[in-house]
Amino acid sequence: MTDEPDPVDLPDLPRGIALSWGMAASPQRGPKREMSVERIVEAAVDLADREGLGAVSMAAVAKALGFTPMSLYRYVSAKDDLLLLMQEEASGAPALPDAGTEGGDWRGEAERLYRAQLEIYLAHPWLLSLPINGTPATPSTVAWMDAYLGAFADTPLDLDDRTAAMLAIMGQARWYGTVAAGYAEAARAGGLSVAEVGSREAALFLTLVDADAYPHTRAALEAGVMTSDRDSMAFGIVRLLDGIAAYIDRVAATGPDARAVERAPLPDDPALAADKRVRAAAKTVREAEKALRAAQKNLRQVRRDAAERIARSAG
C-alpha cells in the first residue's frame, strides 16, 4: 500500500486554489518576516475597497506594504491568483444560523443567506467586477454552496433542484448587488445621495420619454415609480422564493413528474451562433428593429407638425 501524495505536491492544483486551502508552501526566505500571503491579500482588499479593482496591481499592493513587486511574486506568483484570494477573503464564510432557527424553515434560511451575500457585495462592490471564469473551488465558495444546499435539505427537492435553487438565489443577489453598487458609485462620484441620483435620473427620463411613442413607460414615470419609497429590486427575491415554494409543494404532491423541464439550447449557444441561417435571421431582426425605430421617430415628428398646424389654424 503506497502513501497518499502530499497535497502540496499535487501537480494539477492551481497555485491560487492551493493557497486558498492552505495547501501551498510559503517561501522559506522572504524580504521581511512581516510579509505573508495573508498580509498581501488584506492589503489588496483594502486597496480595492478604497479605490476600486482597477487600482489593484502587484506594484500598488507592494507599495502599500512597503516592499518591491518582486517580493510579492515570491508569495503570490500571478495577479489572477491574487484576485482569487481577494475574492476568498472578501466573501468569507456565511455565518451560522441563529440557535433555534434550524430545521424546516428553508425559506427563512435562504433569505438570510441572500441578504448576507448582498451585504458582502455592497461592502466590496469590486467583487462584481471580477470576471466569471467558472466556479472558484475555494473554501468560501464551498461554504456558501453548502449553506444554501443545507437550507433545502429537509425539502423534497433532489440535489439537482437544490443546486438550481441555490444558483437562482445567488444570481438574484448578484444582480441586486450590481444595481445597488452602481447607484452608490454614481452617488459617490457626483457628491450626491443615492436618492438624489434617482431623482435626477427620473427627471431625465421624463424629459426624453414621449407619451405617444412609449405610453406605458410614460405613465409609470408620471406615477413616480423611479422615486418611489418601495424597493422594486426586492420584488425579485420575494417572487423567486414564492416560485420555489410553489415548486416544492408541487414536487411533494406529484413526485418526480413535477421535475420535467424542457432543455432547450441557450440563445448564445456556440453551435447556434455559428449557423449562417441563424446569423442571417438575427441580422434581419436587427434591421427590422432599426427600421421600426426610424418609423416611430418619423411618426412622432409628423404628429408634432400636425399638432402645430391645428394650433395655428385654431388661432
Side-chain angles (χ1 to χ4, degrees):
M1 180 175 172
T2 59
D3 293 335
E4 291 292 326
D6 189 310
V8 173
D9 299 326
L10 287 174
D12 297 327
L13 197 63
R15 178 164 174 79
I17 299 296
L19 286 168
S20 72
W21 287 95
M23 298 170 70
S26 296
Q28 296 301 310
R29 298 187 303 275
K32 284 188 178 181
R33 182 170 296 181
E34 292 83 5
M35 177 71 88
S36 67
V37 172
E38 290 75 18
R39 282 205 63 201
I40 293 170
V41 174
E42 287 172 2
V45 168
D46 181 64
L47 185 60
D49 285 346
R50 286 185 288 106
E51 301 182 33
L53 192 62
V56 176
S57 65
M58 299 296 272
V61 175
K63 181 179 180 181
L65 290 169
F67 295 111
T68 65
M70 289 306 298
S71 302
L72 265 65
Y73 282 107
R74 292 174 54 82
Y75 295 82
V76 181
S77 56
K79 185 178 178 181
D80 285 347
D81 291 342
L82 178 59
L83 294 177
L84 179 74
L85 294 171
M86 289 170 62
Q87 181 178 2
E88 173 72 7
E89 172 70 17
S91 298
L96 296 174
D98 295 334
T101 61
E102 297 183 58
D105 183 17
W106 68 264
R107 181 163 184 155
E109 177 62 2
E111 187 169 356
R112 182 187 74 84
L113 292 169
Y114 162 83
R115 295 191 180 282
Q117 198 171 14
L118 182 57
E119 287 176 4
I120 289 172
Y121 287 139
L122 296 179
H124 308 287
W126 53 267
L127 281 169
L128 298 160
S129 299
L130 290 172
I132 299 177
N133 299 316
T135 304
T138 61
S140 69
T141 300
V142 175
W144 281 95
M145 291 173 62
D146 201 67
Y148 270 111
L149 293 172
F152 295 99
D154 293 331
T155 71
L157 301 183
D158 62 16
L159 288 171
D160 281 337
D161 284 341
R162 295 174 198 175
T163 302
M166 171 191 73
L167 293 173
I169 297 168
M170 293 175 85
Q172 187 66 30
R174 186 178 183 88
W175 166 238
Y176 195 160
T178 299
V179 174
Y183 274 88
E185 174 57 24
R188 186 197 65 76
L192 305 169
S193 67
V194 172
E196 287 171 330
V197 171
S199 294
R200 289 193 175 189
E201 188 177 69
L204 179 62
F205 269 78
L206 279 167
T207 300
L208 297 172
V209 175
D210 181 78
D212 290 334
Y214 311 102
H216 305 296
T217 304
R218 181 72 192 191
L221 291 170
E222 290 179 350
V225 295
M226 294 188 70
T227 54
S228 170
D229 292 336
R230 180 178 175 182
D231 184 358
S232 297
M233 291 297 296
F235 182 91
I237 185 62
V238 175
R239 298 291 82 79
L240 173 60
L241 294 175
D242 285 348
I244 293 174
Y247 180 64
I248 288 175
D249 290 342
R250 192 160 71 249
V251 171
T254 64
D257 289 344
R259 298 191 176 100
V261 177
E262 182 179 357
R263 295 183 178 272
L266 294 175
D268 58 351
D269 187 302
L272 289 178
D275 189 290
K276 292 183 179 180
R277 291 170 299 178
V278 173
R279 291 204 305 270
K283 182 179 179 181
T284 300
V285 169
R286 289 194 299 272
E287 291 173 348
E289 290 173 340
K290 183 178 180 180
L292 175 61
R293 289 194 295 271
Q296 289 174 331
K297 181 178 180 181
N298 182 62
L299 174 61
R300 291 195 295 273
Q301 185 60 52
V302 169
R303 283 176 169 171
R304 281 193 289 268
D305 292 344
E308 290 175 2
R309 287 196 302 272
I310 292 171
R312 285 196 299 269
S313 299

